Amino acid sequence: MANIRLISSSSVCAANHKKPNLRIDLTPWDLQLFLVDSIQKGLLFHKPKPPDNEELENTNFNSIINHLKTSLSRTLDFFPPLSGRFATTEHDDNTVSFFIDCNNAGAEFIHAVAEGVSIADIIEPIYVPKIVYSFFPLNGVRNHEGTSKPLLAVQVTELVDGIFIGCTINHTVADGSSFWHFFNSWSEISRGLNCLSKPPLLQRWFVRNTDCPVRIPLLTNEQLYNRFVPPLLQQRVFHFTRENIAKLKAKANAEIGTNKISSLQALLSHFWRSAIRNKHLDPNEEINYRMLIGARQRLQAQLQAEYFGNAVQTGTVAMKAGEVVEKGLGYVALQMNKMVAVHTEEKLMNFLKSWTDSPKLITMDSVVTNALVTSSSPRFNIYGNDFGWGKPIAVRSGPGNKFDGKITVFPGEEEGSVDIEACLSPETLQGMANDADLMEAVIN
């Protein structure tokens, strides 16, 4: 498949930088992500049609690029952290603290062309083609590099008949909710809105009596430069309709005589069971399912939906491989339900307090041991991102934080449907493709 040709690269700053001295201290939720990769998500669109239905000339596409740059600049007025950089303060006790210096150093904007690549080349293959990773900027850049690298980078890649807008945001600055809040806001400004429907709340939230800034031990060279190298992996997007998800939910609840199990818990349990069946593990081997649990709705008195930053907690279900396979969908989903339920306000607050006393940074090596890890959410507003030429037709993620077992959940294009982007070994994915129990619920 064709390579990517770079057309231009430039820095985009906020159009009206009103808070040049704004400093934003980082919370434990933010700081724990310093050693992993950025968030990388992107949207695929049909190429806009000119009014006269003639072929879209380069000059016309350049006007689209200029429009996106201008609207991005105006959007950064509302999101000053994204045009800033990290700054550090070293302390006498061999600790360091970090904050976002909203200095308007600028976001990166790249215009590229994937010559000969069409929309069909991206969405029709069974496995996500590797060229998709080339649609994202700042590949291989980890969050701690935000002292010198942009905290936001955008790449607009022109296809034969489409446009892919790939966005990379430093994960220490934003979680998935904040990522899509920014993306939604940019599309609003691009459509001509003068103000945002949901302005972000920029002030970081800390547990009462937290010493700010939060200090962490000085980072060692081994921590900064040790790179996780995943094995050979492939990605496939599995599509589940609203009707099939409802059937899974009904089945899970019926098996254990309850109505507690949610649609998402039933779906993820169904998917986990298939993955474990096709990994052919020792039945007595302990395995984990980890998922990111949103804290905004669990700390409603302190956090609003528009809170801009990280507000997620990792929850883990630990079971033996044999239990996952043999005990049924309902049993597995119930364990997931119990795990989510224990993440109360008290548990979240205790985590933040204890982390401040004893900071522990997440590394890829610590995440990937015998685990499936789910990120993102089917509740994010992905298909509402209309930049002025129609809604997207697909969403894909970049290479950041990918390993054998990374499961990314997106809303499907049809209301109530869900897409699961699974990053697994080729052998596991092939086994799942032949798994009748799984594929009965999948729309190819």
Side-chain angles (χ1 to χ4, degrees):
M1 192 173 282
N3 293 321
I4 300 295
R5 180 166 59 91
L6 177 67
I7 302 299
S8 64
S9 178
S10 58
S11 181
V12 175
C13 299
N16 187 9
H17 188 46
K18 296 180 179 179
K19 299 179 179 180
N21 299 316
L22 179 62
R23 164 188 170 139
I24 298 177
D25 289 318
L26 299 172
T27 73
W29 279 325
D30 302 321
L31 291 167
Q32 66 176 336
L33 298 167
F34 236 61
L35 298 179
V36 296
D37 298 329
S38 301
I39 300 179
Q40 296 183 304
K41 303 289 186 291
L43 299 177
L44 179 63
F45 298 86
H46 288 292
K47 184 176 287 187
K49 294 181 179 180
D52 56 5
N53 289 322
E54 295 180 358
E55 184 178 354
L56 189 65
E57 300 288 346
N58 288 336
T59 53
N60 290 333
F61 197 85
N62 286 338
S63 69
I64 293 172
I65 294 296
N66 291 332
H67 173 75
L68 289 174
K69 282 185 182 180
T70 300
S71 60
L72 175 60
S73 177
R74 292 180 55 214
T75 307
L76 290 174
D77 288 342
F78 300 93
F79 293 86
L82 294 180
S83 60
R85 297 291 186 272
F86 289 143
T88 63
T89 303
E90 291 192 13
H91 305 282
D92 294 336
D93 58 353
N94 290 321
T95 62
V96 61
S97 56
F98 294 83
F99 63 91
I100 305 172
D101 181 3
C102 299
N103 58 6
N104 205 24
E108 184 176 15
F109 188 101
I110 295 171
H111 173 201
V113 174
E115 294 177 331
V117 179
S118 67
I119 289 174
D121 293 328
I122 304 304
I123 63 175
E124 290 186 359
I126 294 175
Y127 299 110
V128 178
K130 293 296 185 182
I131 197 171
V132 169
Y133 283 174
S134 302
F135 297 167
F136 292 90
L138 299 183
N139 288 338
V141 174
R142 294 200 289 177
N143 296 319
H144 68 80
E145 298 178 69
T147 52
S148 58
K149 301 287 187 179
L151 302 180
L152 163 68
V154 170
Q155 180 173 318
V156 180
T157 303
E158 182 179 358
L159 310 182
V160 172
D161 54 354
I163 297 174
F164 191 94
I165 301 179
C167 183
T168 298
I169 293 181
N170 192 294
H171 208 334
T172 299
V173 177
D175 61 8
S177 293
S178 295
F179 179 100
W180 290 111
H181 185 181
F182 160 75
F183 221 119
N184 298 158
S185 300
W186 182 19
S187 70
E188 285 185 335
I189 296 295
S190 181
R191 291 198 305 273
L193 276 69
N194 293 319
C195 58
L196 302 182
S197 60
K198 297 178 180 178
L201 301 175
L202 301 177
Q203 187 64 45
R204 287 302 203 270
W205 176 80
F206 295 87
V207 175
R208 184 177 296 178
N209 298 325
T210 298
D211 290 332
C212 289
V214 176
R215 300 183 182 189
I216 64 175
L218 286 171
L219 299 174
T220 66
N221 285 337
E222 182 180 4
Q223 288 176 303
L224 293 174
Y225 301 113
N226 181 39
R227 301 297 302 185
F228 171 77
V229 181
L232 178 64
L233 303 172
Q234 287 182 321
Q235 289 190 111
R236 177 172 178 172
V237 178
F238 295 84
H239 181 67
F240 298 86
T241 65
R242 183 176 191 170
E243 293 74 19
N244 284 347
I245 296 171
K247 291 177 183 178
L248 290 173
K249 177 181 178 180
K251 179 182 178 182
N253 280 298
E255 285 183 1
I256 55 174
T258 184
N259 59 2
K260 294 180 180 179
I261 307 302
S262 71
S263 296
L264 185 59
Q265 289 162 6
L267 175 60
L268 295 180
S269 298
H270 181 66
F271 198 85
W272 187 25
R273 296 181 72 229
S274 177
I276 298 306
R277 278 196 299 269
N278 290 286
K279 282 180 174 288
H280 306 294
L281 302 174
D282 183 324
N284 292 314
E285 185 173 353
E286 185 173 273
I287 56 173
N288 297 308
Y289 195 108
R290 298 192 182 112
M291 61 190 303
L292 300 181
I293 300 171
R296 289 169 178 80
Q297 62 269 37
R298 289 170 172 78
L299 294 170
Q300 290 182 350
Q302 292 87 4
L303 296 179
Q304 294 178 262
E306 294 78 23
Y307 175 80
F308 190 79
N310 285 283
V312 292
Q313 189 79 33
T314 302
T316 301
V317 176
M319 296 176 66
K320 291 183 177 180
E323 290 180 310
V324 174
V325 174
E326 297 165 8
K327 289 206 169 183
L329 175 64
Y331 179 86
V332 175
L334 182 60
Q335 310 317 305
M336 195 174 292
N337 177 273
K338 289 178 179 178
M339 178 272 292
V340 174
V342 300
H343 282 77
T344 60
E345 179 172 331
E346 180 181 7
K347 184 177 179 68
L348 297 174
M349 302 277 267
N350 286 339
F351 168 82
L352 295 171
K353 292 175 184 176
S354 63
W355 197 96
T356 303
D357 295 334
S358 181
K360 184 177 181 181
L361 304 185
I362 296 171
T363 63
M364 293 301 293
D365 291 334
S366 67
V367 169
V368 302
T369 305
N370 281 353
L372 260 63
V373 181
T374 293
S375 67
S376 193
S377 169
R379 296 185 179 90
F380 292 153
N381 178 16
I382 289 176
Y383 288 95
N385 283 291
D386 180 354
F387 284 81
W389 59 81
K391 71 175 187 176
I393 55 176
V395 56
R396 294 292 184 266
S397 60
N401 298 316
K402 288 297 171 63
F403 53 86
D404 186 2
K406 177 65 180 294
I407 307 301
T408 308
V409 181
F410 296 117
E413 188 175 7
E414 308 89 16
E415 184 177 355
S417 66
V418 173
D419 289 340
I420 292 181
E421 183 187 76
C423 183
L424 294 161
S425 71
E427 296 78 14
T428 301
L429 280 177
Q430 183 58 53
M432 294 174 73
N434 297 324
D435 186 336
D437 186 49
L438 171 70
M439 299 305 292
E440 184 180 359
V442 173
I443 299 295
N444 293 317

